[in-house]
Amino acid sequence: MEHTHEQLTVPVSRLILDADTNVRKRYDKDSVTAMKASILAHGIVQPLAVRPPQTGDADLGGQLYRVFAGGRRTRALTELLAEQAVGPEYQVPIIIRDVDDRDAAELSLAENLIRHAMDPADEFKAFKQLADDGMDVAEIALRFGQTERFVRGRLALGALHPVILEALSEGQISFAAATAYTLQ
């Protein structure tokens, strides 16, 4: 597999989802909504993995980069563009990988498989730091594409005894068991 790559930024209008090699075929509407909020608040945090423009792309509107890893980010960007929340010249960081279909699909699978959800206790600590810095629940929810109920739930973990938080982080108790302690 080719391991050389080039990183640069391109306008969102020069990106197209390579649906054949992007292994994620289903996108949860809430996760795309959360991604849109994150993009508006923080930009694209992780570059999209793309293949270089192909000769026939002129028929598609010019030199387009085919996104094979970063489909959810691409869908969020496409929706933001359609909603005119970002313009066609919005700059997106990309990593160009000159790979064939098989290698592109493998890289897409690798990116999706290695992703792991954040630990709820770590989410609490991060949200708490934002709250301690003056951000209210509504603003945290908006900036990270979550509901206010979700943010309040994570912040409620802060009232738990440190032993319970540690047990949650270590996998000794389930998230459901830990949240039961937050109910009043």
Side-chain angles (χ1 to χ4, degrees):
M1 181 181 300
E2 169 71 35
H3 291 287
T4 61
H5 61 275
E6 177 184 2
Q7 186 167 338
L8 58 125
T9 59
V10 298
V12 67
S13 60
R14 293 191 57 201
L15 299 174
I16 185 170
L17 183 63
D18 190 345
D20 292 336
T21 59
N22 193 302
V23 299
R24 185 183 298 270
K25 303 300 181 194
R26 294 188 186 106
Y27 296 90
D28 176 82
K29 183 176 177 7
D30 291 340
S31 76
V32 173
T33 299
M35 182 61 68
K36 288 167 48 178
S38 177
I39 290 169
L40 289 174
H42 310 103
I44 299 290
V45 177
Q46 181 181 353
L48 303 174
V50 304
R51 295 200 284 178
Q54 310 264 320
T55 305
D57 286 346
D59 294 340
L60 299 173
Q63 296 293 302
L64 300 178
Y65 293 91
R66 297 172 182 276
V67 178
F68 64 83
R72 190 166 56 108
R73 284 168 278 161
T74 303
R75 286 187 188 270
L77 283 165
T78 300
E79 288 185 19
L80 289 170
L81 187 60
E83 296 164 2
Q84 298 182 348
V86 299
E89 295 303 313
Y90 181 83
Q91 295 295 301
V92 179
I94 61 170
I95 295 177
I96 302 170
R97 304 284 297 258
D98 193 3
V99 293
D100 62 20
D101 285 354
R102 190 187 118 240
D103 287 345
E106 184 178 328
L107 289 167
S108 176
L109 179 61
E111 179 181 89
N112 282 287
L113 285 178
I114 62 172
R115 180 178 297 130
H116 187 68
M118 194 170 176
D119 182 82
D122 289 340
E123 289 176 350
F124 146 69
K125 291 172 188 168
F127 285 165
K128 182 180 182 315
Q129 183 62 53
L130 293 172
D132 289 349
D133 289 344
M135 209 178 278
D136 66 20
V137 169
E139 187 176 1
I140 294 170
L142 179 65
R143 291 179 64 82
F144 294 94
Q146 302 297 326
T147 64
E148 290 183 29
R149 181 175 183 223
F150 177 87
V151 174
R152 277 194 296 277
R154 290 304 190 262
L155 289 172
L157 291 173
L160 293 177
H161 191 279
V163 171
I164 296 171
L165 276 177
E166 182 67 22
L168 173 62
S169 290
E170 297 296 320
Q172 296 168 345
I173 64 170
S174 69
F175 178 70
T179 56
Y181 287 106
T182 66
L183 301 176
Q184 308 217 14

